[in-house]
Amino acid sequence: MAKGQARSGGEALSKLVRDIKNCRLCVDTPTGPVLPHEPRPVLQVNAMARIGVFGQAPGLKVHHSGRPFTDPSGVRLRAWMGVSEEEFYDSTRVAIVPMGFCFPGYNAKGADLPPRKECAPQWRQRVMDNLPKLEVALLVGRYAQAWHLGQLDRATLTETVKTWREVISQTSPKLFPLPHPSWRNNAWIKTNPWFEADLLPELRALVRQGLCGC
Ligand code: SF4
């Protein structure tokens, strides 16, 4: 891509991010219950990013910090990827784009609600169109897998993550299905030892390659 095109792509993305930051869809014209707080969209994007982290939605800690993955899940995700905080929060290398940009609130049992349904149809394709350099994207959890994988998505998280070799070989950028790094998945990690033994080393190698652009 010529320099001028890269600059105009970056400008288009900056304008898009400004529009997202001003979004009030889930408060003003929601398709379901009104968002129970003021919107605070949290994402990290730059047109130069080569690695994508596509998760679910911010939790309360991230809602307060305004920065993605500033919670124990983020610590574990960075360990899975083999990256430092400095690398993870370098937007020219890593784009962090959850399926819902705002904290969705809690359900009656005190668990995080799913990503807001309004968000992906409104914004997601436009954000993806402005990340032309992506080489590898981590699909963290079922919502990102359902949106990005289409027919490659399987019936369950385990089946989908188990087919990671097939998925990365058939997608460009390489899409890497993962469970959510929450402590809630500790039992899943224990009962699927191939995840740490086989998948994570390959993930780290691909991430390292994307970070250096080599
Ligand atoms: S979750 Fe998405 S659609 Fe809803 S208010 Fe936030 S940015 Fe807008």
Side-chain angles (χ1 to χ4, degrees):
M1 182 183 283
K3 270 187 180 171
Q5 283 175 295
R7 193 160 48 242
S8 63
E11 285 165 9
L13 185 56
S14 299
K15 159 86 171 66
L16 181 59
V17 170
R18 279 199 300 279
D19 291 345
I20 291 171
K21 296 278 178 183
N22 289 326
C23 179
R24 295 185 52 81
L25 195 55
C26 297
V27 172
D28 294 343
T29 52
T31 59
V34 176
L35 191 73
H37 46 258
E38 281 299 295
R40 189 178 195 195
V42 179
L43 68 161
Q44 168 179 304
V45 283
N46 184 293
M48 301 306 291
R50 292 188 296 270
I51 297 167
V53 175
F54 301 159
Q56 303 199 154
L60 186 60
K61 276 192 179 153
V62 170
H63 176 68
H64 287 313
S65 74
R67 204 178 191 207
F69 286 104
T70 48
D71 54 13
S73 291
V75 174
R76 181 183 250 176
L77 180 61
R78 287 185 284 277
W80 285 357
M81 296 169 70
V83 299
S84 65
E85 277 199 33
E86 190 186 352
E87 289 168 327
F88 188 76
Y89 290 115
D90 179 349
S91 66
T92 65
R93 300 206 273 181
V94 180
I96 305 173
V97 189
M99 292 304 297
F101 296 144
C102 296
F103 170 52
Y106 292 124
N107 66 19
K109 292 181 179 166
D112 286 10
L113 285 164
R116 292 293 302 205
K117 286 191 174 132
E118 297 87 337
C119 205
Q122 180 71 17
W123 300 115
R124 194 156 194 84
Q125 190 58 56
R126 284 192 270 170
V127 175
M128 293 302 128
D129 291 345
N130 282 279
L131 298 173
K133 306 266 188 189
L134 282 185
E135 293 174 9
V136 55
L138 284 55
L139 306 181
V140 184
R142 292 301 288 146
Y143 295 99
Q145 288 159 18
W147 198 91
H148 286 273
L149 288 182
Q151 292 195 339
L152 290 175
D153 192 28
R154 305 297 170 103
T156 66
L157 176 108
T158 304
E159 286 176 48
T160 303
V161 178
K162 258 189 180 162
T163 61
W164 60 277
R165 281 196 183 89
E166 182 187 333
V167 174
I168 62 174
S169 72
Q170 292 185 30
T171 49
S172 177
K174 292 181 194 302
L175 299 176
F176 218 123
L178 296 171
H180 195 277
S182 159
W183 62 269
R184 291 174 201 274
N185 281 326
N186 286 354
W188 185 93
I189 291 166
K190 213 170 174 183
T191 54
N192 292 281
W194 50 269
F195 174 75
E196 288 187 314
D198 302 330
L199 182 152
L200 288 187
E202 185 71 22
L203 174 68
R204 286 182 193 125
L206 274 182
V207 166
R208 196 44 55 189
Q209 205 176 313
L211 282 177
C212 77
C214 46

